[in-house]
Amino acid sequence: NKDGSLSAEITFSNDLYDGDRIEYGSNGQVTMHEIWVAGKREGLQTHYNAQGVASVVEYRNDRPVYASK
């Protein structure tokens, strides 16, 4: 961010997302966390709203297979 605060952490391998991808809001709280394997989403993707309530989507081979309500 312009103020020097961390806005995202992303792990790469061979120029592909590979590992945790975490995004942060302006308040420093995690707003999104997902897992990538060789450029494809794999496992849980969790989004947090301003109140900290999580919504979850599960991915297998970069395709959603489950979403919380």
Side-chain angles (χ1 to χ4, degrees):
N1 287 335
K2 291 181 182 180
D3 65 2
S5 64
L6 187 64
S7 62
E9 293 180 83
I10 305 168
T11 305
F12 289 90
S13 179
N14 297 319
D15 294 327
L16 298 172
Y17 287 170
D18 193 58
D20 291 319
R21 178 173 175 250
I22 304 168
E23 294 183 0
Y24 300 90
S26 58
N27 62 0
Q29 297 293 329
V30 173
T31 58
M32 191 272 299
H33 176 250
E34 62 186 1
I35 300 167
W36 289 73
V37 177
K40 296 181 180 180
R41 286 172 288 198
E42 189 71 34
L44 299 180
Q45 177 189 72
T46 308
H47 287 266
Y48 300 92
N49 68 16
Q51 292 74 39
V53 177
S55 61
V56 177
V57 177
E58 183 178 355
Y59 283 86
R60 290 190 193 134
N61 201 31
D62 210 31
R63 294 177 186 255
V65 295
Y66 168 82
S68 66
K69 294 185 180 194

